[in-house]
């Protein structure tokens, strides 16, 4: 067998992608763009059918980009046996939290079992799904050795965290890639392969270091968002404008990164990833106090925000019960349509539970998805006692909203950040 590092440094290898979502699909298109044919495998027949018809299921890949890739070396299949002949397999399946916020490893386990069944000597197999340190060794290596495929003798196994930021301009090939193999040779082989796709590859000594690096990245965000949310609550108690405080602190050219308070932390990365670390820590009888505290603060923000809205209405002699409210922005962050795990939605659910008559304006989230949260999409900005800015997408006429309602509760400092001067807006 030729030297595996040299082989993957070359331009002749092909790859298979397991899981064609917001991570796997861009990775497949990156491989094809770099001259490496890619076979995409997904367990969802509907997704395979849609992709085969050049209909992209994710915002960050257009139908045109997909159609072009299908003509230049990308193919999709629902048959895992198609992955036997490829040289590298990248596993990009979901890793959600299950009951009691425990890691749900079922997708990774299922993918590992599927790959082990079709894998062959000479292949590189790399896991990209966010997970606790030790997963690649515990699950992927075990599944492969159960079918007689040993690391380095037969296959090369690594972990390389995905760094896709939904809605961000940066494309997969431009984002530095951390890579850690379950052995020194696996690290070298995986780094060689990834360098063909992403120029900036940072190799670490083993898979669990790479697994933990990913969790540190997002735990850093969750803890700092938790800190600024707590600062926002404190500032409110002592009648200080937290947004002005952040703006002032951010003038420091070093040693400070601005994070901003909000109605809570949504999405499927920041609220979840730190819990993989907290869970693994508990296995080692270690308590991750910062992660746990940040989670408590962040998870408490939707209710705190709803309480602030109630106080604002109270000051105007209005009960929450029976009052018509307009929620502006129900996706989990600005300028994307993803409403999964949306804290903005949780604020509105809280207010509706208190009897408010809530409707939603969100130009990016389709009406049927708004209705799935239990709210009617709003037809206009008129007729509400208040509007609540929860996710501040670009392109919304915030002036018109402030003109149409008596008062706006702005959880994103959207008006001041846009220089819109109105006198009926309160900030978080
Ligand atoms: N949020 C705040 N205050 C902040 C920043 C975020 O309340 O200062 C809230 C957002 O409104 C949202 C949640 O936190 O509800 C998460 O926001 P995010 O900006 O972290 O966006 P995500 O969840 O899409 O995070 C992804 C992550 N990417 C990967 O895991 C590969 C994250 O590491 C990126 O830093 C982030 O995108 C990004 O910067 O866009």
């Amino acid at each position: 067998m030729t030297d595996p590092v040299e082989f993957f440094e070359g331009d002749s290898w092909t790859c298979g992608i397991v899981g064609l979502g917001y991570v796997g699909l861009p990775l497949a298109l990156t491989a094809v763009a770099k001259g490496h044919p890619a076979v995409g495998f997904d367990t969802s027949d509907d997704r395979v059918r849609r992709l085969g018809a050049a209909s992209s299921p994710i915002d960050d890949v257009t139908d045109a980009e997909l159609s072009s890739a299908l003509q230049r070396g990308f193919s999709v299949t629902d048959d895992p046996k198609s992955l036997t002949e490829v040289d590298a397999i990248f596993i990009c399946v979901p890793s959600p939290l299950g009951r009691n916020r425990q890691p749900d490893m079922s997708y990774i386990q299922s993918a590992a079992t599927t790959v082990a069944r079709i894998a062959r000597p000479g292949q590189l197999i790399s896991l990209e799904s966010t997970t606790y340190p030790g997963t690649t060794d515990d699950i992927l290596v075990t599944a492969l050795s159960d079918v007689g495929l040993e690391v380095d003798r037969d296959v090369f196994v690594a972990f390389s965290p995905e760094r896709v930021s939904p809605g961000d301009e940066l494309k997969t090939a431009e984002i530095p890639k951390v890579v850690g193999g379950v052995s020194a040779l696996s690290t070298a082989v995986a780094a060689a392969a990834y360098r063909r796709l992403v120029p900036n590859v940072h190799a670490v000594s083993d898979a669990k270091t790479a697994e933990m690096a990913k969790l540190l990245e997002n735990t850093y965000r969750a803890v700092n968002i938790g800190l600024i949310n707590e600062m926002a609550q404190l500032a409110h108690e002592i009648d200080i404008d937290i947004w002005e405080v952040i703006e002032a602190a951010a003038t420091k050219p070093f040693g400070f990164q601005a994070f901003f308070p909000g109605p809570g932390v949504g999405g499927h990365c920041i609220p979840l990833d730190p819990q993989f670390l907290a869970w693994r820590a508990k296995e080692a009888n270690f308590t991750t106090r910062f992660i746990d505290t940040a989670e408590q603060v962040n998870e408490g923000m939707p209710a705190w925000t709803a309480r602030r809205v109630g106080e604002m209405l109270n000051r105007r002699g209005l009960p929450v019960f029976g009052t018509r409210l307009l929620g502006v922005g129900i996706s989990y962050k600005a300028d994307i349509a993803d409403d999964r795990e949306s804290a903005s939605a949780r604020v509105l659910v809280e207010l509706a539970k208190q009897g408010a008559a809530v409707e939603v304006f969100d130009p990016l989230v389709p009406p049927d998805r708004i209705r799935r949260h239990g709210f009617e999409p709003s037809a206009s900005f008129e007729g509400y006692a208040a509007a609540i800015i929860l996710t501040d997408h670009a392109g919304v006429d915030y002036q018109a909203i402030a003109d149409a309602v008596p008062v706006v509760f702005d959880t994103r400092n959207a008006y001041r950040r846009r220089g819109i001067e109105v006198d009926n807006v309160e900030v978080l």
Side-chain angles (χ1 to χ4, degrees):
M1 177 169 78
T2 55
D3 177 299
V5 175
E6 275 177 28
F7 175 73
F8 282 101
E9 282 170 345
D11 57 5
S12 67
W13 55 267
T14 63
C15 63
I17 315 279
V18 176
L20 299 172
Y22 79 94
V23 175
L25 188 56
L27 182 62
L29 269 57
T30 299
V32 166
K34 299 287 185 179
H36 296 277
V39 176
F41 165 73
D42 201 295
T43 53
S44 159
D45 296 342
D46 177 58
R47 173 144 301 196
V48 169
R49 202 174 18 259
R50 257 194 82 171
L51 288 166
S55 164
S56 173
I58 64 166
D59 293 343
D60 287 357
V61 171
T62 64
D63 291 354
E65 287 168 335
L66 178 53
S67 173
S68 162
L70 286 165
Q71 291 154 33
R72 289 185 297 109
F74 179 49
S75 60
V76 289
T77 179
D78 57 3
D79 176 5
K81 285 195 291 300
S82 310
L83 300 176
T84 299
E85 65 262 23
V86 301
D87 299 303
I89 296 176
F90 302 112
I91 300 174
C92 307
V93 295
S95 50
L97 292 184
R99 295 164 64 92
N100 310 321
R101 296 173 79 71
Q102 305 255 335
D104 172 0
M105 305 310 287
S106 60
Y107 295 88
I108 291 179
Q109 183 61 67
S110 167
T113 306
T114 300
V115 167
R117 218 179 282 132
I118 55 84
R120 59 163 173 80
Q123 282 183 321
L124 161 65
I125 298 153
S126 178
L127 176 63
E128 297 221 348
S129 311
T130 303
T131 184
Y132 64 83
T135 301
T136 306
D137 293 87
D138 293 351
I139 294 183
L140 194 47
V141 171
T142 303
L144 291 162
S145 63
D146 284 353
V147 296
L149 291 170
E150 294 308 324
V151 168
D152 292 354
R153 187 195 72 189
D154 303 313
V155 290
F156 310 100
V157 181
F159 181 82
S160 179
E162 57 91 358
R163 280 180 166 171
V164 174
S165 166
D168 204 316
E169 283 308 306
L170 272 178
K171 296 298 177 197
T172 302
E174 300 163 320
I175 302 171
K177 204 90 167 77
V178 170
V179 178
V182 296
S183 69
L185 179 54
S186 287
T187 300
V189 170
Y194 276 109
R195 274 194 196 94
R196 291 284 307 169
L197 309 184
V198 178
N200 187 342
V201 167
H202 179 86
V204 293
S205 48
D206 52 31
K208 59 183 190 295
T209 301
E211 288 160 337
M212 183 140 179
K214 164 68 181 185
L215 297 178
L216 173 61
E217 290 165 20
N218 283 350
T219 298
Y220 161 78
R221 285 185 75 74
V223 169
N224 278 286
I225 296 166
L227 170 66
I228 201 63
N229 279 330
E230 182 171 80
M231 292 295 105
Q233 294 183 24
L234 167 60
H236 175 64
E237 291 308 316
I238 55 179
D239 200 21
I240 292 176
D241 180 332
I242 188 64
W243 300 96
E244 193 178 358
V245 170
I246 296 165
E247 195 179 352
T251 59
K252 181 180 177 191
F254 49 83
F256 178 80
Q257 180 183 0
F259 286 84
F260 302 97
V265 176
H268 36 283
C269 300
I270 307 309
L272 308 186
D273 293 358
Q275 300 313 311
F276 283 100
L277 214 43
W279 176 82
R280 180 65 188 84
K282 285 190 187 79
E283 283 209 321
N285 291 321
F286 184 94
T287 302
T288 51
R289 287 161 294 174
F290 283 95
I291 291 176
D292 299 347
T293 301
E295 187 195 27
Q296 283 162 23
V297 173
N298 291 333
E299 290 298 298
M301 284 309 280
W304 187 77
T305 302
R307 198 162 62 246
R308 288 287 307 277
V309 172
E311 289 167 3
M312 180 184 76
L313 292 173
N314 224 2
R315 284 197 298 278
R316 286 164 177 73
L318 286 172
V320 172
F321 188 88
T323 297
R324 287 194 74 214
L325 300 177
L326 174 66
V328 179
I330 198 168
S331 61
Y332 82 81
K333 77 173 182 180
D335 304 333
I336 65 169
D338 194 342
D339 59 333
R340 290 174 299 173
E341 312 276 340
S342 166
S344 302
R346 285 167 52 200
V347 175
L348 297 175
V349 168
E350 185 63 32
L351 288 166
K353 266 197 298 194
Q354 296 173 31
V358 175
E359 291 183 345
V360 170
F361 172 75
D362 187 316
L364 300 187
V365 178
D368 66 304
R369 290 199 68 102
I370 291 177
R371 291 194 177 93
R372 272 197 226 168
H373 292 281
F375 306 115
E376 276 305 305
S378 71
S380 88
F381 299 149
E382 304 294 335
Y384 299 95
I388 307 151
I389 312 297
L390 292 160
T391 300
D392 61 326
H393 298 306
V396 169
D397 189 344
Y398 292 100
Q399 180 72 59
I401 292 172
D403 293 345
V405 299
V407 67
V408 180
F409 191 69
D410 182 1
T411 73
R412 300 291 188 175
N413 200 32
Y415 284 84
R416 200 182 315 171
R417 282 195 299 109
R418 290 170 172 78
I420 304 172
E421 293 190 11
V422 285
D423 57 8
N424 62 332
V425 171
E426 289 191 27
V427 287
L428 186 76

